[in-house]
């Protein structure tokens, strides 16, 4: 990416200063790639007659501007030439599009880093979960997880009923209507969350196993969240096509409140046609299209998590990530609220399994009636579950996916994503054996090391604390609660929305 493009933000608050030509280059390239990714018949048309295919989308681009984005080898060559200072290695529009993608990656990293809760116990717990996920899920999947500190469901269930739903959303039941009473509760809940989690809770969003647009009052909740936190949450919806004028107003509202990115989940080609017809490429510059339609599955495998797990051995198996790949769509290490049930869970992503089919651990949970009760409940959950330090009486047990080995005088703790080296140690074989067995406490290991090898207990404490801080010790809840298992579904209801106050 050339230096000039790298400095330009097309998504942040400086976007108005970017020239129309620059924005058009990015927006049109993005529109082309959406069609290319999700529509195989378009790929065929482009191969036969690139100019006609581009023209059919109404885009002001040429094949020379697009081909560098379609071929891995060409893209690699361009990267190398740009790194060597060859500024004419590719068209300007390609540099601009690459800068746009880099801006989004930087934003994701900023989001993850600014989600650290103010409470030191919760912050330490979350930091360990970030480390654990890197090892358990592998670096590339972990890189995509922002570990948001909070998320809120404003409905019970989801009307969309995707077969692949990674969090196994139950059938739609009802919404939390924005009545005066519920609005008061909402404000109280947000303020309690701000007090306990701190300003980083502003990195939260307002959906989980729900579609935000199922709730006709979603925009009111969004605006109040912005008033309390000064930040507009990202919206992700699979029903943007249902009422395009509402969607347009929501996009305008999000843009006016400074939302960086919103997302449309594209679950069929027909939906893609509708949103491409309804919104110009420039209007959708801020909107990521998530390819979920069947035709794109050769490039975008779905996570083998939640409801999708039921199809892992069936005719849709080829659309799912294989056993050798880690699977989860969870992106929260913090509190998941359901405002209809007035419930809260402390959750964190994990590799989906029969034990944790939803792709996240439920560490603790509870219900509340008022904002005051919620405040006390959050404090209790943190106090009971979010440790800052390893205690001397704690048994040192590593995660089940961590393998221990010895290389010369070093101990290696290896998982899918990371190898952590301990040492050099005078007693590497002993330490490896005790860690592998997972039966001794911190104090017992410290005493044994001092007796056998003359290692000071303080050194041992520091060594074991490294394992704890890096998320290598086992913090998995002993028993998954009933809510960690997807509820059986009936047929997805066809009703769009039933308004009903819960209390
Ligand atoms: S993937 Fe999203 S839209 Fe689809 S059923 Fe699950 S929550 Fe609803």
């Amino acid at each position: 990416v050339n230096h000039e493009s790298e400095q330009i933000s097309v998504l942040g608050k400086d976007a108005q200063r970017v020239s129309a030509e620059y924005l058009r280059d990015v927006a049109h390239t993005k529109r082309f790639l959406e069609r290319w990714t999700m529509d195989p018949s378009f790929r065929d048309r482009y191969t036969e007659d690139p100019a006609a295919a581009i023209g059919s989308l109404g885009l002001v681009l040429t094949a020379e501007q697009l081909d560098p984005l379609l071929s891995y080898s060409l893209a690699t060559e361009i990267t190398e030439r740009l790194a060597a200072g060859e500024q004419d290695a590719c068209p300007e529009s390609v540099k601009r599009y690459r800068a746009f993608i880099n801006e989004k990656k930087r934003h994701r990293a900023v989001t993850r880093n600014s989600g650290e809760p103010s409470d030191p116990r919760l912050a330490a717990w979350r930091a360990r979960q970030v480390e654990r996920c890197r090892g358990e899920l592998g670096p590339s999947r972990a890189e995509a997880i922002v570990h948001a500190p909070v998320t809120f469901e404003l409905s019970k269930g989801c009307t969309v009923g995707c077969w692949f739903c990674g969090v196994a959303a139950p059938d739609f039941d009802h919404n939390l209507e924005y009545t005066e009473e519920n609005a008061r509760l909402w404000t109280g809940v947000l303020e309690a969350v701000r007090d306990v989690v701190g300003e980083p809770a502003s990195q939260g969003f307002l959906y989980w196993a729900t579609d935000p647009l199922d709730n006709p009052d979603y925009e009111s909740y969004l605006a109040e969240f912005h008033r309390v936190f000064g930040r507009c949450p990202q919206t992700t919806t699979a029903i943007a096509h249902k009422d395009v004028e509402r969607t347009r107003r929501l996009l305008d509202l999000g843009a006016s409140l400074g939302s960086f990115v919103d997302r449309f989940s594209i679950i069929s080609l027909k939906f893609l046609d509708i949103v491409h017809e309804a919104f110009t490429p420039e209007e959708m510059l801020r909107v990521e299209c998530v390819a979920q339609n069947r035709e794109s599955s050769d490039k975008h495998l779905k996570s083998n998590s939640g409801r999708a797990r039921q199809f892992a051995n069936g005719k849709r198996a080829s659309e799912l990530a294989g056993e050798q790949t880690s699977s989860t769509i969870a992106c929260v290490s913090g509190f998941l609220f359901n405002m209809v049930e007035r419930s809260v869970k402390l959750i964190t992503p994990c590799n989906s399994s029969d034990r944790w089919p939803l792709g996240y651990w439920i560490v603790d949970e509870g219900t509340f009636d008022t904002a005051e009760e919620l405040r006390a409940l959050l404090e209790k959950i943190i106090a009971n579950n979010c440790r800052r330090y390893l205690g001397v009486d704690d048994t040192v047990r590593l995660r089940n996916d961590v393998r221990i080995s010895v290389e010369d005088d070093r101990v290696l703790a290896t998982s899918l994503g990371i190898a952590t080296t301990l040492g050099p140690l005078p007693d590497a074989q002993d330490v490896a054996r005790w860690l592998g067995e997972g039966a001794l406490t911190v104090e017992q290991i410290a005493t044994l090391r001092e007796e056998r090898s003359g290692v000071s207990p303080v050194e041992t404490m520091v060594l074991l604390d490294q394992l704890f801080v890096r998320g290598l010790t086992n913090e998995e809840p002993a028993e998954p609660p009933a809510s960690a298992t997807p509820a059986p579904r009936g047929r997805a209801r066809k009703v769009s929305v039933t308004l009903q106050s819960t209390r």
Side-chain angles (χ1 to χ4, degrees), residues 469-488:
V469 169
R470 293 184 188 178
L472 289 159
T473 56
N474 194 347
E475 294 191 76
E476 182 178 345
E479 275 307 316
S483 56
T485 306

Side-chain angles (χ1 to χ4, degrees), residues 28-29 31-33 35-36 42-43 45-67 70 281:
H28 284 215
T29 305
R31 171 69 53 107
F32 173 87
L33 290 173
R35 185 54 74 172
W36 171 269
F42 178 77
R43 292 203 285 274
R45 293 205 302 283
Y46 183 79
T47 308
E48 265 172 37
D49 186 344
I54 297 167
S56 71
L57 301 181
L59 304 178
V60 187
L61 290 169
T62 63
E64 290 68 39
Q65 292 174 289
L66 295 165
D67 287 343
L70 304 180

Side-chain angles (χ1 to χ4, degrees), residues 136-181:
E136 185 183 324
L137 303 173
S140 65
R141 179 154 298 277
E143 178 67 17
I145 298 177
V146 295
H147 295 271
V150 291
T151 190
F152 301 88
E153 295 177 317
L154 302 170
S155 314
K156 177 93 181 102
C158 176
T159 62
V160 186
C162 306
W163 68 267
F164 54 82
C165 184
V167 286
D171 291 345
F172 178 80
D173 194 282
H174 64 280
N175 287 314
L176 187 75
E177 194 180 351
Y178 202 71
T179 59
E180 225 174 276
E181 183 195 348

Side-chain angles (χ1 to χ4, degrees), residues 263-293:
R263 300 196 303 175
F264 292 169
S265 197
I266 305 296
I267 56 177
S268 80
L269 255 185
K270 191 169 142 236
F271 292 4
L272 183 69
D273 293 342
I274 295 172
V275 295
H276 275 184
E277 180 68 31
F279 301 101
T280 66
E282 285 83 354
E283 274 182 299
M284 281 184 57
L285 182 62
R286 231 174 30 76
V287 180
E288 283 177 2
C289 284
V290 185
Q292 303 276 24
N293 61 312

Side-chain angles (χ1 to χ4, degrees), residues 8 72 201 229 282 399:
I8 291 177
Y72 183 76
F229 283 109
E282 285 83 354
R399 298 191 329 247

